[in-house]
Amino acid sequence: MNILSQQIISEKEEGDEDQELLVKPKPKTKRPPLYKVLLINDDYTPMEFVVMILERFFGLTHAQAFDIMITVHKKGLAVVGVFSYEVAETKVAQVMDCARQHQHPLQCTMEKE
C-alpha cells in the first residue's frame, strides 16, 4: 500500500456486508526553523555593559555572561543563544534598544541555524 495516498481498508465481519474505512495519512509536521542570536564586538562598548546585557536579556549567570563576553572580545562575535524566529527577533530588538539608550554601538544580529 502506498503510505502517501489515501488507503482503503476493507473489513468483513460475519453476517455483515463489506464495510470500508477511509484512512488519511497523517501529515508529517516540521519543527520551525531556529535562529542564532549573535553579539558582535566593537571597540567602544564597555565589557561590563555586555555582561549586563547577557544577564538581563538572556538569563545567563554572571560567569556564563563573562565567558561569552570574552569570546566576543577575542573572536569578534559569539552565539548567545538559539531561539525560534519570534524570540530571536525580540532578543535582538531588546539588545539593540538598550545599547542605543545607553549610547553604545553594540551590534546584535540573528541568522538561521
Side-chain angles (χ1 to χ4, degrees):
M1 278 189 227
N2 187 347
I3 294 175
L4 298 177
S5 64
Q6 290 184 341
Q7 302 171 358
I8 298 178
I9 300 172
S10 294
E11 295 179 354
K12 191 163 188 166
E13 296 179 11
E14 286 185 41
D16 281 342
E17 295 181 18
D18 287 342
Q19 293 181 1
E20 291 184 357
L21 179 62
L22 188 59
V23 178
K24 292 184 181 179
K26 290 185 179 180
K28 293 190 177 187
T29 55
K30 283 179 151 180
R31 287 185 170 258
L34 296 176
Y35 291 80
K36 298 185 281 191
V37 175
L38 306 158
L39 275 184
I40 302 169
N41 189 44
D42 64 74
D43 294 333
Y44 303 101
T45 304
M47 292 179 177
E48 297 81 20
F49 182 77
V50 175
V51 170
M52 184 275 298
I53 288 285
L54 293 168
E55 291 172 347
R56 182 173 177 187
F57 296 116
F58 295 93
L60 301 176
T61 65
H62 186 76
Q64 292 169 324
F66 186 82
D67 288 345
I68 291 174
M69 178 274 300
I70 291 296
T71 302
V72 171
H73 182 69
K74 289 182 177 179
K75 294 188 176 181
L77 63 88
V79 175
V80 182
V82 179
F83 308 96
S84 68
Y85 179 83
E86 292 80 11
V87 173
E89 185 177 47
T90 300
K91 299 272 186 201
V92 169
Q94 289 173 326
V95 170
M96 296 298 290
D97 288 346
C98 187
R100 297 300 159 263
Q101 288 174 0
H102 290 86
Q103 298 179 345
H104 295 303
L106 181 64
Q107 293 294 306
C108 185
T109 62
M110 61 187 262
E111 65 181 39
K112 200 169 187 177
E113 187 175 46

